[in-house]
Amino acid sequence: MIKHIWSLVFFTVLAQMSAGAYFIFNADIFRLISLEGLNPIPISKSELLILLVIMIFSMAISFTHLGKPGNSVFALSNLKKSWLSKEIYFMSIFAFVLFLQTIFFDWLQFHNSLYSLLRTLGVFFSVMFFLSMIKVYKLKTVVLWKSAYTILSFIISTFLSGLILFTTIRLFNSEQNIELLTLLILVLLIIQSGILQFYSKNFKSGSLYVKFIYLLATILSFGLLFQFFSSPWIFILLAILTLFGIILERYLFYSSYKSIGV
Amino acid sequence: MAKQYSFYFDSSACSGCKTCQVACKDKNDLPLGTLWRRVYELSGGKWEKEKETWISKIAAYNLSMSCNHCGDPICLKTCPTSAIVKRSDGVVLIDSNRCMGCRYCEWACPYGALQFNSIKGQMTKCDFCFDYIDEEKQPSCVAACPMRVLDFGEIGVLRAKYPESDNIYPLPDVKICDPSFIIKPHKDARIESYNITIENMEEVKND
């Protein structure tokens, strides 16, 4: 088992949540799909600030994993071969773009082309960040991590955690279609549970707890969707449960580390 | 062809005394729990009944493993700070002025070579006693071995000197990292069907 994994767990989950939510807030920039029903309101400065704070917090946590953080200034030295170096690079640029978009938000409203450019860059680097995070764990010497579980789980958890954050932020906004978002959360919860079930034999005991948490969250989302519950605090409970499930599943992922060889 | 220093290990004659492990620890003043050279006791198999006779299909052998100073080191490729470098003589070293202790190389290495030093907060590993070999002396593990099962030298010379070499179970496919080692296998060391396990896990893994 890897030691000192909690800092990695919180860093990866929080960073994915920020990147995933950013993608959802800004994906309409590519105009590939109409997101009017999903995200009818442009992102606000306070919403950007929330994403920025979460991102900065996750980056600060990542330093606690290092044995000698002072040498992290060299972390971009091996961009050619090291996916960890690339992950740090894309994460840094994404955080910087997010920072610029937040700090100069008011000024950017009068400079639409520059604002669109920043949003495009932000979406691009958020995607590159979580894709490079997946590649970091696709080590040929670690059997479970080399499997499709890593790709599927990381992608779904990015969008699930991002959607949870996005919906929580917009929960009390009457213009936002919360039912549609809850439906998407339900679908992603079912997919994530299915992925975990398929690969659960690779995890030690503990996957049962995660499955139970996802089951509870699924029941709550069903209830919200079909209006058995109407209180927004039930959604808050759903959000907390889902996030807790993702964190626990990530802990199991790191705990399942087993290298080939000796 | 570039020079490549390599270790030779004769698994068929190793007694598992761990003198090499202790010599390395002593020379490098390693802290508790850090082993640049590790001796694994591997055993497995069972007794099988054939008609009225019980046949022993037991396997037991030792494996002394340090860093293999690979031809294509996976640790070097994964290190984000480029702290891991390969010398012109093939020895792979860690630059402590650059290592940030992220432990990513530790995950990647299939030989358990990279060891985290919790006092320094950095990764450490076998350095082939490069200070000794630069003075044309033997690495401390090679000099200490009472059974003379360890040797070192340029890989081409070693391959000619010890033609009976093979990769042994449970070491991974050599294509992954192109490790620079020559191993004379124990007669049981190829037998994967014996379900061989590492018996002294508490000695070699710091969980």
Side-chain angles (χ1 to χ4, degrees):
Chain A
M1 193 184 88
I2 300 171
K3 290 180 179 174
H4 312 294
I5 59 177
W6 282 110
S7 53
L8 281 179
V9 169
F10 283 105
F11 156 62
T12 54
V13 172
L14 290 176
Q16 279 179 273
M17 187 162 71
S18 178
Y22 184 91
F23 182 90
I24 293 163
F25 270 117
N26 293 285
D28 61 298
I29 195 85
F30 295 117
R31 302 188 201 285
L32 292 173
I33 49 172
S34 168
L35 290 178
E36 276 185 28
L38 188 68
N39 182 13
I41 318 145
I43 191 168
S44 69
K45 188 175 182 177
S46 54
E47 289 165 342
L48 276 170
L49 189 61
I50 292 169
L51 300 190
L52 180 65
V53 166
I54 291 172
M55 194 66 208
I56 290 172
F57 185 59
S58 75
M59 288 165 80
I61 290 174
S62 73
F63 276 95
T64 64
H65 168 66
L66 302 176
K68 202 164 184 185
N71 282 355
S72 60
V73 293
F74 301 113
L76 300 179
S77 301
N78 197 6
L79 284 173
K80 203 173 167 187
K81 291 180 184 174
S82 170
W83 276 102
L84 182 55
S85 213
K86 287 172 193 167
E87 184 204 31
I88 294 167
Y89 171 72
F90 291 128
M91 176 183 70
S92 304
I93 297 183
F94 166 63
F96 183 62
V97 169
L98 183 55
F99 171 77
L100 288 178
Q101 213 177 322
T102 310
I103 297 299
F104 297 108
F105 183 83
D106 297 324
W107 181 81
L108 284 166
Q109 299 312 301
F110 301 101
H111 298 84
N112 281 329
S113 51
L114 193 56
Y115 185 56
S116 295
L117 175 66
L118 268 181
R119 288 178 71 205
T120 307
L121 286 173
V123 170
F124 174 75
F125 283 108
S126 69
V127 171
M128 292 308 294
F129 165 50
F130 71 76
L131 288 181
S132 59
M133 188 187 279
I134 292 168
K135 286 295 284 185
V136 164
Y137 297 105
K138 294 284 282 177
L139 291 166
K140 5 184 202 187
T141 50
V142 186
V143 177
L144 171 67
W145 292 6
K146 202 175 58 169
S147 71
Y149 171 81
T150 302
I151 301 171
L152 296 170
S153 174
F154 270 74
I155 289 176
I156 299 297
S157 61
T158 298
F159 288 110
L160 182 55
S161 57
L163 208 47
I164 286 285
L165 178 63
F166 175 81
T167 312
T168 306
I169 290 171
R170 292 270 171 100
L171 194 58
F172 298 101
N173 190 321
S174 57
E175 288 181 64
Q176 187 64 57
N177 189 340
I178 300 296
E179 283 77 28
L180 178 60
L181 295 171
T182 308
L183 174 63
L184 285 173
I185 289 167
L186 173 64
V187 169
L188 290 177
L189 268 171
I190 291 170
I191 295 173
Q192 185 78 348
S193 301
I195 294 166
L196 178 63
Q197 177 62 31
F198 190 77
Y199 287 96
S200 60
K201 66 179 185 300
N202 296 292
F203 299 112
K204 297 172 188 174
S205 63
S207 66
L208 200 58
Y209 299 113
V210 183
K211 287 177 205 171
F212 179 66
I213 290 167
Y214 283 156
L215 177 64
L216 279 179
T218 305
I219 291 169
L220 282 178
S221 54
F222 255 118
L224 282 166
L225 206 55
F226 292 101
Q227 296 179 344
F228 294 121
F229 316 116
S230 54
S231 168
W233 296 107
I234 299 293
F235 184 86
I236 300 289
L237 179 61
L238 162 66
I240 293 170
L241 269 177
T242 307
L243 191 59
F244 186 55
I246 293 171
I247 288 170
L248 202 54
E249 187 178 355
R250 189 58 48 83
Y251 176 82
L252 289 180
F253 173 78
Y254 285 114
S255 301
S256 69
Y257 168 82
K258 190 176 187 301
S259 171
I260 57 173
V262 291
Chain B
M1 195 166 136
K3 191 174 183 181
Q4 174 65 60
Y5 270 117
S6 164
F7 282 111
Y8 165 78
F9 170 67
D10 183 356
S11 179
S12 65
C14 176
S15 65
C17 67
K18 301 188 176 75
T19 304
C20 55
Q21 186 172 293
V22 172
C24 172
K25 211 167 167 66
D26 178 49
K27 188 256 179 184
N28 295 293
D29 198 23
L30 301 179
L32 182 67
T34 301
L35 294 172
W36 287 4
R37 181 169 280 279
R38 301 158 305 286
V39 177
Y40 299 88
E41 295 166 18
L42 296 122
S43 65
K46 57 188 175 186
W47 287 82
E48 284 185 0
K49 193 171 182 185
E50 279 182 25
K51 293 179 185 175
E52 297 304 315
T53 312
W54 285 92
I55 309 291
S56 165
K57 290 202 172 165
I58 303 289
Y61 55 94
N62 298 298
L63 174 62
S64 175
M65 177 85 14
S66 67
C67 174
N68 295 311
H69 302 275
C70 301
D72 185 20
I74 196 168
C75 56
L76 190 150
K77 288 193 284 195
T78 55
C79 179
T81 61
S82 298
I84 298 177
V85 293
K86 192 168 173 70
R87 294 192 339 171
S88 56
D89 58 6
V91 174
V92 178
L93 299 173
I94 299 178
D95 182 354
S96 60
N97 292 321
R98 294 180 80 94
C99 176
M100 63 179 183
C102 67
R103 305 177 78 159
Y104 189 39
C105 52
E106 187 183 14
W107 297 355
C109 177
Y111 301 107
L114 286 307
Q115 305 266 313
F116 184 69
N117 186 321
S118 55
I119 297 166
K120 289 184 185 174
Q122 291 181 308
M123 302 308 296
T124 61
K125 69 173 196 68
C126 161
D127 58 9
F128 221 108
C129 290
F130 67 92
D131 49 341
Y132 282 7
I133 61 173
D134 286 349
E135 293 172 6
E136 294 183 6
K137 293 183 193 172
Q138 291 178 316
S140 59
C141 52
V142 174
C145 178
M147 302 298 291
R148 298 287 182 261
V149 300
L150 283 171
D151 197 358
F152 85 106
E154 207 282 321
I155 195 166
V157 171
L158 284 182
R159 281 187 178 137
K161 189 175 173 184
Y162 305 106
E164 288 179 26
S165 69
D166 200 354
N167 198 26
I168 68 171
Y169 182 82
L171 296 181
D173 191 341
V174 295
K175 288 177 196 158
I176 294 175
C177 309
D178 187 22
S180 304
F181 62 59
I182 315 284
I183 295 182
K184 181 179 175 185
H186 186 278
K187 63 176 175 61
D188 296 328
R190 295 189 186 89
I191 312 297
E192 292 189 31
S193 60
Y194 279 7
N195 196 23
I196 289 165
T197 57
I198 297 170
E199 293 300 326
N200 60 333
M201 189 60 79
E202 68 282 357
E203 292 180 291
V204 297
K205 292 284 183 186
N206 300 319
D207 284 343

